[in-house]
Amino acid sequence: VLDTVVQGQSLPESMSAFLLPGLSVTGLSHTPVDQLSHGTSMAATVLHGLASTTPEGTESTVRILPVDIYGGREETSTFDVALGVYAAINAGATVINMSLAGDGDSGLLRQLIQQGQRQGILFFAAAGNEPVSTPTFPAAYPEVVAVTATDRRGNIAPYANRGAFVDVAAPGRSLVQFNGESFVVTGTSASTAYVSGTAAGLRA
C-alpha cells in the first residue's frame, strides 16, 4: 500500500495482524494519533477486499506492506511515488496499491512499473474523483489496472472519473473501524484498495 502512514496500532487487532513493518521513502514520517489517515483507511479496505476471497474460518497468507510516500505532507510527488514502487518491489510485493491520482506523467515511474509488470507484479491505481474522462496517472499507464467507483446501484459514481483508460469499477464506499469508532470512506481510492485486496486474495 503506497500511501500516507498506516496507523496499525489504532486498527482492530484482527486487522493490524496483517500489517508488516512499514517503510518510508521520504525520510520524514508523522503518525497522527486521533485522526484517521488515508493510508490506514486504504489498508483496512484492502482487507475488506481480501475477506471477499477468503472462506470464513480460514487464514490468508496475504500481508500488507505499508509504504509511506507522503512523510506527513498533504501531497506527494511522482518521484516519491516512484521511490515507493521501487521500495515495494525490492521488499517482495506482488500486488501494489496506489490509491492516488494526478495529471503528471513520469517516465521514471512508468519505467519502474513496466519492470515490475515483467516480473509478474500487479499494479492498481485510482482513476480520480472528478467526473471527467481525462486520463490520470499512474492509472492511465497500460501496465496499471485503473479503478473507478460505483454507487449503490452499480452505476459509475457521480464524482468518479469515467475515461476510456478505466479498466474496472468497484464500490466507492468503505466502512473503517478506527480507535473504536466507525468511519465511512468514499472515493476511487477506496474502490482501488478493495480491488487490490481482492486480487491479492485470488493470487494467494
Side-chain angles (χ1 to χ4, degrees):
V1 174
L2 273 59
D3 215 295
T4 62
V5 69
V6 174
Q7 304 147 295
Q9 74 282 356
S10 299
L11 288 172
E13 186 177 349
S14 60
M15 289 188 168
S16 62
F18 284 87
L19 298 178
L20 298 172
L23 304 175
S24 176
V25 301
T26 65
L28 306 169
S29 192
H30 170 66
T31 305
V33 176
D34 56 353
Q35 183 177 1
L36 175 66
S37 75
H38 191 268
T40 301
S41 61
M42 293 306 103
T45 306
V46 165
L47 292 175
H48 293 327
L50 173 62
S52 72
T53 69
T54 307
E56 190 172 347
T58 62
E59 286 194 20
S60 173
T61 58
V62 173
R63 294 295 180 267
I64 295 176
L65 172 68
V67 181
D68 180 6
I69 58 172
Y70 285 83
R73 302 167 303 189
E74 290 187 4
E75 296 183 352
T76 190
S77 65
T78 54
F79 181 70
D80 282 339
V81 176
L83 287 179
V85 169
Y86 181 78
I89 291 174
N90 281 349
T94 58
V95 177
I96 295 181
N97 182 83
M98 297 175 286
S99 288
L100 50 88
D103 56 9
D105 185 359
S106 165
L108 172 62
L109 177 57
R110 183 172 184 188
Q111 184 179 22
L112 286 169
I113 289 173
Q114 288 174 329
Q115 291 174 355
Q117 189 207 35
R118 287 195 288 269
Q119 297 174 35
I121 298 171
L122 301 177
F123 293 88
F124 298 88
N129 297 328
E130 292 186 25
V132 297
S133 58
T134 309
T136 59
F137 298 93
Y141 296 136
E143 300 82 11
V144 177
V145 178
V147 187
T148 196
T150 60
D151 60 21
R152 292 182 179 181
R153 297 183 178 180
N155 300 313
I156 294 180
Y159 58 78
N161 193 316
R162 66 281 315 278
F165 68 98
V166 171
D167 300 300
V168 177
R173 290 167 64 89
S174 176
L175 183 65
V176 177
Q177 302 294 324
F178 176 77
N179 275 345
E181 296 185 54
S182 297
F183 295 83
V184 176
V185 180
T186 304
T188 59
S189 287
S191 306
T192 305
Y194 189 87
V195 173
S196 293
T198 303
L202 292 173
R203 167 163 277 192

